[in-house]
Amino acid sequence: METKFRGTGVALATPYNKDGSVDHIALDRLVKHTVNGGVNYLVVMGTTAESPTLSMTEKAKVLDTVLSSNAGNLPVVYGAGANDTAELCEYFKDSLFSKVDAILSVTPYYNRPSQKGLQAHFENVADESPVPVILYNVPSRTAVNLEAGTTLALAHHENIIGVKEASGDINQCNQIMTGKPEDFLMISGDDMITLPLLSIGAVGVISVMANAFPKQFSSMVNRAYAGDWDKARALHLSLVEIGAILSEEGNPAGLKCVLELLGLCGGNLRLPLYPISEELKARATKAVAELNKKG
């Protein structure tokens, strides 16, 4: 089993300056905060990074900053997905893929392929990718669900090592866990169902919350690994309120607010994303203060 992607991966946010440019100083600070907080690997250019509004040049520079800030030399996963299979396969010729340990590849969006189309797409991606592929299923964003049967068919491809499951469908996750090869990784794509998925054999999570609270979130995962379910459950429940706040008005808008409250980066977003409401910000301020008190 691929052990480098066990535990807590963090889906890194992209800090921006007030003029909308990438804030590489804050990004360095954020990476160090998560590494020092105990995460196990870094994910660059996932959904939380606002990747649709970053140019290819900006994405490459963000990756370079993350790599230079990665003092713990943690594994790095790079988000590489598209709804044009040929274009994505051509992208793999870019030298940046020599710098990463795996890619996270989202299901094609907007054109809504069939399950046969999804399988063929990912087989082509896996054939061409120079590094291992982690599938990313997030139907709330892509309007297409990678069904359990399709995931299991793809799980036998030698260059597809796992799936980040963000469907929220526990039954679908059960089906994948029941039928998958032993070395295929089930990774939670939703912070607040990570603990239930760990209980059925998931290897960890690619987390939004770990940007802000890496110590607390990775401790929850580690306690579950150690079989200390009482402590893991207590940590999970202590994060429920902030988890709801992070998602209520969209990710990463809620996260950016929390990161600003923690002094890690500004709360700036690129349109069409928009800052959260003052009412939600007040609740976030209170929740962050409570979590900081608990340590």
Side-chain angles (χ1 to χ4, degrees):
M1 180 180 288
E2 181 61 78
T3 57
K4 66 176 68 173
F5 306 117
R6 291 176 61 89
T8 302
V10 56
L12 289 165
T14 305
Y16 296 121
N17 296 301
K18 287 184 178 179
D19 65 1
S21 61
V22 176
D23 185 346
H24 288 273
I25 294 173
L27 179 58
D28 171 75
R29 185 163 53 243
L30 179 62
V31 172
K32 289 174 178 173
H33 171 71
T34 61
V35 172
N36 293 337
V39 304
N40 301 102
Y41 60 98
L42 307 172
V43 180
V44 183
M45 289 303 128
T47 303
T48 306
E50 298 175 65
S51 52
T53 55
L54 287 158
S55 70
M56 291 298 188
T57 299
E58 287 174 321
K59 289 178 181 181
K61 289 180 178 178
V62 165
L63 176 61
D64 285 342
T65 295
V66 171
L67 292 170
S68 67
S69 305
N70 180 16
N73 199 31
L74 299 182
V76 174
V77 178
Y78 186 79
N83 59 354
D84 181 337
T85 308
E87 179 183 55
L88 179 55
C89 290
E90 183 68 19
Y91 183 33
F92 291 138
K93 295 177 182 178
D94 194 299
S95 62
L96 71 79
F97 291 97
S98 66
K99 305 174 184 178
V100 302
D101 297 274
I103 66 164
L104 179 67
S105 197
V106 72
T107 50
Y109 38 86
Y110 188 71
N111 40 14
R112 301 184 71 176
S114 67
Q115 295 302 305
K116 291 288 188 183
L118 288 170
Q119 183 174 338
H121 167 82
F122 281 120
E123 287 171 343
N124 276 268
V125 167
D127 287 344
E128 297 298 326
S129 174
V131 293
V133 175
I134 300 171
L135 309 172
Y136 180 16
N137 185 36
V138 58
S140 63
R141 291 184 179 271
T142 64
V144 62
N145 178 45
L146 188 68
E147 294 175 2
T150 310
T151 298
L152 292 173
L154 290 165
H156 294 280
H157 193 292
E158 63 181 4
N159 204 32
I160 296 176
I161 61 171
V163 62
K164 177 186 176 184
E165 250 297 334
S167 66
D169 186 338
I170 296 293
N171 186 52
Q172 178 162 289
C173 295
N174 285 334
Q175 291 175 41
I176 295 169
M177 287 302 303
T178 300
K180 74 178 187 65
E182 184 178 355
D183 60 352
F184 184 77
L185 308 177
M186 164 70 82
I187 301 169
S188 173
D190 183 335
D191 285 341
M192 301 321 298
I193 63 169
T194 296
L195 191 59
L197 291 186
L198 289 171
S199 76
I200 64 168
V203 298
V205 59
I206 295 176
S207 170
V208 174
M209 194 183 299
N211 281 274
F213 302 106
K215 181 180 177 181
Q216 294 93 324
F217 204 90
S218 59
S219 292
M220 180 198 73
V221 173
N222 293 338
R223 290 288 187 171
Y225 274 149
D228 187 354
W229 292 100
D230 288 343
K231 183 60 176 177
R233 182 167 55 251
L235 286 164
H236 164 81
L237 293 174
S238 74
L239 297 169
V240 167
E241 183 177 5
I242 196 70
I245 287 168
L246 291 180
S247 63
E248 186 169 321
E249 294 184 12
N251 174 47
L255 174 64
K256 285 285 186 76
C257 171
V258 169
L259 292 176
E260 185 171 36
L261 291 169
L262 292 170
L264 291 166
C265 70
N268 306 304
L269 300 150
R270 283 185 176 176
L271 288 170
L273 297 184
Y274 200 77
I276 62 174
S277 64
E278 288 301 317
E279 185 273 334
L280 186 57
K281 185 173 182 179
R283 286 164 48 202
T285 303
K286 182 178 178 182
V288 168
E290 288 295 321
L291 271 174
N292 281 338
K293 264 195 260 181
K294 294 175 184 176

